[in-house]
Amino acid sequence: MTSDRGEFHDIFQDNENMKLSLRGLVFCLHIPHFSFSKRDELTRNLNTLLPCRMGEKGSKTNRPRALSIGCCDMTVKCRFRWNWDHATVCSYCRQEQMQSPSCPLSAAFSYFLCSFLLFSMLGMMYAWLTFSPFNQPAFDPMELSCQPDNEGSWSIGIFFGDNPLALQPIERANISNDKSSAWPVANPILTCASVTDASHPSAFVADPFLFIQGSRIYIFFETKNALTKQGDIGVAESSDGGASWRYLGIALDEEWHLSFPYVFTFNGQVYMMPEGSEKGDLRLYRASNFPLEWTFERVLIKRPLVDAVMVQYNGDFWILASDFHRFGAQKNGELEAWFSSSPFGPWKQHKGNPLHNGDPGSGARNGGRPFVFNGELYRVGQDCAKTYGHKIRLFHVKNLTRSKFHEVEVPLGSQESKKGRNAWNGLRNHHLDALKLPSGDWIAVMDGDRVPSGDINTRFLLGTASLLGLVLIILLVGIILGVVRCVFPLSKCLSMGKRHDSQSVWVQPQVTSTVNRVLSRLNRGSSAIKGRVKLNSFAGISLLVICFALGLVLVCIGVQSFFGGNGAEEPYPIEGQYSQFTMLTMTYDARLWNLKMYIKHYSRCASVREIIVVWNKGEAPNPETDFDSAVPVHIRVEEKNSLNNRFKPDPQIKTRAVFELDDDILMTCDDLERAFKAWRKHPERIVGFYPRLNDGSPPKYRNERYARAKNGYNMILTGAAFVDSELAFSKYWSEDTDQGRALVDELFNCEDILLNFVMANSTTDRVVEYIHPAWAIDTSKLSSSALSRDTKVHYMKRTSCLRKFSELYRGFPLKKWEFGSRTDLWDF
């Protein structure tokens, strides 16, 4: 490589292709042992001998020099970079679009950009339809509190029953709490937000154990410290039979993880036997100042036992626990027994240990306190087959002696939720503790979760896979359309050389050659795909449609995976307590298809307890077989087809809150939850989603657009509104409204206007409140059976109602309220 300019000229002056080849070789390989003078001389020689030929041979141009590298025509600028004892030529290659149509790089880039913008817009539309635009209220002022992790978001619920084999959640017991407007109180009664200790912000609460002392009920539970990621033992207290709970503080905090706080009494003392398997033993603590101060008493068993419980049965004390460190033990599938004549030991192993050692779904691992009912012993186990803590299983212990053990599974007695992620225990529960009350009834606590174990990691992997699949689909469509014509065209230019140890030559590395072969095959494969698919054929068009549909599905999966749920999964508490409401709709046989869709959607909403259908005309459906519902559905068949039936008092309604919703309106569950919270703040109001401003002299009925223009409203349509069933229904069906109800029957309209008049005429306080829905779909536009398809006639009837009601009630009691008065802007 030391030849001068004359030697280069003699060899290559008549061969343009060889000139370009040499230039490409020099510019894309490393040249060793060059001095600065030789480098500059070679550069001048090459620039003189190898001019860029963009047009006819011999023409001169000021355009950048170009050469053909790989599959694309590119402009190449080369600079020298010195590295130790050699210079690297072609330290970078800058690519620009040239005249040749063989590689439309800018077109390919634009195609990819436009494709991602298109799918991003579709993803944003999906997010708008799926996710709530309103933020959930912060559960806790501490930033780390209630932050989900891969262990889940466990909460605790309370149950009642006349026996431990037939337990019902607290909402079924119809226990109310006026302070928090919880009619009835609903589970969960303890969440991570209940733990208000600033030094122990909670990620979740789980493993609850009851303790009854006089008229007070205590719950000891594990709370995962969001700062240290360690389990501590917290305690909460109820003085009203479980209707409300007050968090007291951290009862036990060690340097190691604690959970499963089994609490019992013996000889007038209160003891706790929490799990501390991380320490390597099973320890006993005594309450020195119940319930917040505990003193270490002794080590019971020097084994890392998990989920240990103690029960007195057949004259002995028994400890049932799992030791996953035992040789050959199956995690979550192993169970052992220990016995003693005293709870302080010494403890001896059961001769049959391990009692179970196999399938994690067998229920071997303890899931709570064993209990004795009618003289029979029952053990609670947890099924961990699908995920940790998947569900609780109950076993009847038929035989427990020092040498024998036998149990059979029996029904648990409590129903599992069908709401999935929208229920606090919709996907898993793994702990149950039941105690007999002094009254003879039974009380129990159970933990539950709305997500499976490892949910965050699963969603991340699924979202990543969806994104990669979308990229591949876009690439495939680009190849079919002919926009993407080459794959990685700079592969040859980006090849790096390697100096041989024994010779002053540079060889192409084997890895780069392999990459080049792969890229070449990709190029040939893309050409083959382009050649086989004809865009003007039915198969080609079908393939493009399938690719687009699949891409849209992947976008939706990716958005859902990365950003999680829509807020509808969790209801909004007031003062830490939850409640439930009854949905009520009125329909008839011609709108059955609407009703089926309605029930399937709304029955999954978190706070919906039951759905009541007022059936005005035609043959009524069978609620047991005709609907896909997660809650009970009741059909109330009316003899007379009247709109007044909507507000008729009904003994089937067990909740104070009733959400009146027409069967042709679809909206998100989160919208319902937000309106429900607003109603619980002011249960005397009509809280809904459709505002109207009816004013003038005489008054005239107008639409929502008019109310927006005037920045105010004085009426809420009850076709989508919360009302107090005890207050509103009794007023509507009083003798004072007989004439108003008669007018409703005459016009077959205006029942919602009448209710607004009745409520406003009974008080001087505010009686209506608007909540803005994220979105709502009126499916009546798709049906020929809608009541108000003729808008003009409909509005005329309602204007007539306004004027006649004003005469009946001696005035117009509806007061105007402005939009945007709420601090959370839910009415904006």
Side-chain angles (χ1 to χ4, degrees):
M1 298 297 288
T2 58
S3 300
D4 60 14
R5 176 180 175 184
E7 292 173 327
F8 276 108
H9 183 76
D10 292 339
I11 298 173
F12 298 106
Q13 60 181 348
D14 295 322
N15 194 328
E16 182 69 19
N17 292 331
M18 292 185 65
K19 291 177 183 179
L20 294 176
S21 299
L22 176 61
R23 186 175 182 185
L25 176 65
V26 173
F27 274 72
C28 293
L29 294 178
H30 294 69
I31 305 177
H33 305 298
F34 259 92
S35 64
F36 284 100
S37 59
K38 291 290 186 181
R39 178 200 68 185
D40 296 338
E41 178 183 357
L42 177 59
T43 303
R44 290 192 299 272
N45 291 341
L46 289 174
N47 289 339
T48 302
L49 288 173
L50 305 179
C52 177
R53 304 293 183 177
M54 294 299 296
E56 296 295 332
K57 183 176 180 181
S59 64
K60 294 184 179 179
T61 179
N62 292 325
R63 293 183 181 179
R65 298 174 177 85
L67 68 158
S68 179
I69 299 177
C71 66
C72 300
D73 291 337
M74 289 171 291
T75 294
V76 178
K77 280 188 176 180
C78 293
R79 296 180 181 175
F80 287 93
R81 182 183 62 215
W82 291 91
N83 183 16
W84 295 97
D85 60 343
H86 66 277
T88 302
V89 185
C90 191
S91 61
Y92 76 95
C93 296
R94 183 169 61 87
Q95 171 183 315
E96 297 179 356
Q97 184 181 12
M98 304 300 291
Q99 298 293 332
S100 172
S102 61
C103 184
L105 295 176
S106 295
F109 174 77
S110 299
Y111 161 73
F112 275 100
L113 179 61
C114 292
S115 298
F116 275 106
L117 286 176
L118 172 62
F119 283 110
S120 297
M121 291 174 61
L122 294 173
M124 292 174 62
M125 181 173 294
Y126 171 77
W128 174 70
L129 291 172
T130 308
F131 302 153
S132 171
F134 306 97
N135 294 327
Q136 282 269 355
F139 276 124
D140 199 280
M142 296 173 289
E143 291 184 359
L144 291 177
S145 182
C146 294
Q147 294 298 316
D149 58 23
N150 277 318
E151 289 193 75
S153 56
W154 294 90
S155 301
I156 296 172
I158 190 167
F159 295 74
F160 296 94
D162 56 5
N163 69 79
L165 304 182
L167 297 170
Q168 295 291 329
I170 187 173
E171 51 264 27
R172 292 290 172 180
N174 293 318
I175 297 176
S176 298
N177 181 11
D178 292 337
K179 183 179 179 181
S180 60
S181 300
W183 305 302
V185 175
N187 283 324
I189 47 96
L190 289 176
T191 68
C192 54
S194 305
V195 180
T196 56
D197 194 322
S199 61
H200 293 75
S202 178
F204 63 76
V205 293
D207 292 353
F209 279 96
L210 289 164
F211 187 81
I212 300 175
Q213 191 176 69
S215 61
R216 298 183 181 273
I217 305 173
Y218 297 89
I219 295 180
F220 292 85
F221 55 89
E222 173 197 352
T223 169
K224 182 179 179 180
N225 192 315
L227 295 173
T228 64
K229 306 301 180 183
Q230 177 179 289
D232 303 316
I233 305 303
V235 58
E237 174 193 57
S238 175
S239 57
D240 55 6
S244 61
W245 292 86
R246 182 170 65 95
Y247 172 71
L248 299 180
I250 298 297
L252 190 59
D253 179 11
E254 295 284 15
E255 295 180 358
W256 55 90
H257 177 84
L258 296 175
S259 63
F260 211 80
Y262 177 80
V263 182
F264 66 97
T265 59
F266 182 72
N267 290 339
Q269 297 290 324
V270 183
Y271 296 93
M272 182 193 298
M273 188 177 67
E275 180 202 321
S277 58
E278 185 178 307
K279 184 66 175 176
D281 53 29
L282 180 63
R283 299 188 167 207
L284 185 68
Y285 295 81
R286 177 177 52 83
S288 54
N289 186 15
F290 185 86
L292 290 176
E293 296 180 12
W294 298 79
T295 303
F296 170 66
E297 187 76 9
R298 67 182 66 192
V299 173
L300 296 179
I301 300 175
K302 294 182 179 180
R303 293 272 295 277
L305 298 182
V306 174
D307 294 351
V309 293
M310 185 185 300
V311 61
Q312 188 175 11
Y313 185 71
N314 283 345
D316 284 326
F317 287 89
W318 296 89
I319 286 180
L320 300 174
S322 299
D323 181 4
F324 300 142
H325 290 82
R326 174 192 284 268
F327 178 77
Q330 299 293 322
K331 187 174 182 180
N332 298 324
E334 198 258 11
L335 178 67
E336 300 180 7
W338 304 67
F339 63 89
S340 174
S341 58
S342 166
F344 305 116
W347 294 92
K348 299 180 181 179
Q349 288 201 50
H350 190 278
K351 292 184 179 180
N353 277 350
L355 306 179
H356 295 295
N357 190 27
D359 182 12
S362 63
R365 182 171 180 171
N366 284 325
R369 183 198 315 260
F371 59 86
V372 177
F373 176 62
N374 290 337
E376 301 293 329
L377 179 63
Y378 294 85
R379 185 183 71 85
V380 183
Q382 51 179 303
D383 181 347
C384 299
K386 295 182 179 179
T387 181
Y388 170 70
H390 172 55
K391 66 177 181 179
I392 295 170
R393 298 175 67 177
L394 186 63
F395 298 89
H396 180 195
V397 180
K398 294 285 190 177
N399 193 356
L400 177 59
T401 66
R402 297 187 177 188
S403 58
K404 295 181 180 180
F405 176 83
H406 176 63
E407 63 182 6
V408 295
E409 186 172 5
V410 295
L412 182 61
S414 62
Q415 294 182 350
E416 297 182 6
S417 174
K418 299 178 182 179
K419 295 186 178 183
R421 287 177 177 260
N422 285 16
W424 68 277
N425 61 344
L427 287 189
R428 53 179 180 161
N429 46 70
H430 76 341
H431 186 100
L432 171 69
D433 183 42
L435 282 181
K436 191 174 184 179
L437 293 168
S439 62
D441 292 329
W442 285 75
I443 184 174
V445 284
M446 184 187 301
D447 62 10
D449 200 354
R450 64 181 71 252
V451 297
S453 179
D455 180 65
I456 293 180
N457 285 346
T458 301
R459 288 196 290 109
F460 176 78
L461 293 176
L462 184 59
T464 302
S466 301
L467 181 60
L468 293 177
L470 179 62
V471 171
L472 293 177
I473 288 177
I474 293 175
L475 181 61
L476 175 61
V477 174
I479 292 173
I480 295 173
L481 295 176
V483 179
V484 180
R485 298 186 182 179
C486 58
V487 182
F488 301 110
L490 296 180
S491 59
K492 296 183 179 180
C493 179
L494 296 178
S495 300
M496 299 299 296
K498 179 179 179 182
R499 183 179 179 181
H500 196 277
D501 292 336
S502 60
Q503 300 178 10
S504 295
V505 297
W506 290 81
V507 296
Q508 190 80 350
Q510 183 178 358
V511 174
T512 305
S513 300
T514 303
V515 172
N516 286 335
R517 287 197 298 271
V518 172
L519 296 179
S520 297
R521 290 172 182 173
L522 286 176
N523 282 323
R524 291 195 298 269
S526 64
S527 299
I529 294 174
K530 180 64 176 66
R532 289 177 179 272
V533 178
K534 305 298 181 183
L535 292 179
N536 57 354
S537 65
F538 175 78
I541 296 175
S542 300
L543 180 59
L544 291 178
V545 171
I546 292 174
C547 288
F548 179 80
L550 184 58
L552 181 59
V553 171
L554 291 176
V555 166
C556 296
I557 293 175
V559 171
Q560 188 75 29
S561 299
F562 283 125
F563 296 100
N566 62 352
E569 297 173 353
E570 301 182 27
Y572 293 78
I574 292 181
E575 296 185 8
Q577 286 199 310
Y578 299 87
S579 188
Q580 291 186 328
F581 60 88
T582 301
M583 290 196 68
L584 187 146
T585 189
M586 186 169 57
T587 189
Y588 57 101
D589 52 0
R591 298 161 67 93
L592 183 59
W593 70 275
N594 254 7
L595 184 63
K596 290 184 177 181
M597 181 169 54
Y598 174 103
I599 290 177
K600 182 177 182 179
H601 171 62
Y602 289 116
S603 67
R604 268 73 180 176
C605 296
S607 299
V608 175
R609 172 172 173 169
E610 295 176 330
I611 298 178
I612 293 181
V613 179
V614 180
W615 197 261
N616 269 352
K617 186 175 67 175
E619 183 179 354
N622 186 338
E624 300 295 332
T625 58
D626 291 343
F627 303 115
D628 177 9
S629 178
V631 299
V633 177
H634 304 288
I635 306 293
R636 192 177 81 204
V637 180
E638 297 288 353
E639 295 181 1
K640 179 182 178 181
N641 184 11
S642 170
L643 296 180
N644 292 315
N645 295 332
R646 164 171 279 173
F647 306 121
K648 183 182 291 186
D650 188 342
Q652 293 185 104
I653 300 176
K654 305 298 183 182
T655 64
R656 285 275 297 276
V658 171
F659 184 51
E660 297 270 358
L661 183 66
D662 291 343
D663 64 341
D664 52 15
I665 297 177
L666 286 179
M667 58 180 60
T668 68
C669 289
D670 185 67
D671 286 336
L672 272 62
E673 297 294 345
R674 290 186 299 107
F676 183 40
K677 180 182 180 180
W679 178 86
R680 288 179 64 192
K681 290 282 189 179
H682 300 283
E684 73 282 358
R685 297 178 182 174
I686 301 174
V687 180
F689 299 99
Y690 292 99
R692 294 290 186 269
L693 179 60
N694 304 308
D695 55 9
S697 182
K700 183 178 181 180
Y701 185 82
R702 305 175 190 271
N703 58 21
E704 183 175 347
R705 189 181 301 109
Y706 178 80
R708 294 286 181 184
K710 297 293 185 178
N711 191 31
Y713 60 96
N714 58 9
M715 190 175 79
I716 294 294
L717 300 187
T718 58
F722 280 91
V723 296
D724 184 341
S725 62
E726 296 183 5
L727 176 65
F729 290 4
S730 60
K731 288 183 177 297
Y732 189 90
W733 279 87
S734 68
E735 293 182 359
D736 295 336
T737 59
D738 286 346
Q739 289 180 293
R741 294 198 307 273
L743 181 61
V744 170
D745 284 337
E746 177 186 340
L747 299 177
F748 206 75
N749 206 322
C750 305
E751 82 286 355
D752 49 354
I753 298 178
L754 178 58
L755 183 64
N756 275 263
F757 265 81
V758 169
M759 297 292 289
N761 200 52
S762 62
T763 181
T764 58
D765 295 332
R766 181 175 181 174
V767 296
V768 291
E769 185 171 355
Y770 167 68
I771 298 297
H772 176 62
W775 56 265
I777 299 176
D778 185 358
T779 60
S780 66
K781 308 302 182 184
L782 308 175
S783 172
S784 59
S785 56
L787 297 178
S788 56
R789 290 184 63 84
D790 191 336
T791 303
K792 185 176 180 180
V793 173
H794 176 65
Y795 276 38
M796 289 176 60
K797 286 184 178 181
R798 295 174 79 79
T799 296
S800 176
C801 289
L802 283 172
R803 296 173 182 178
K804 292 185 178 181
F805 290 156
S806 297
E807 295 175 2
L808 289 174
Y809 293 99
R810 299 176 183 177
F812 192 80
L814 305 180
K815 297 180 181 180
K816 178 182 175 181
W817 304 95
E818 292 185 353
F819 294 102
S821 60
R822 293 182 59 95
T823 57
D824 53 24
L825 299 181
W826 285 359
D827 61 340
F828 187 72

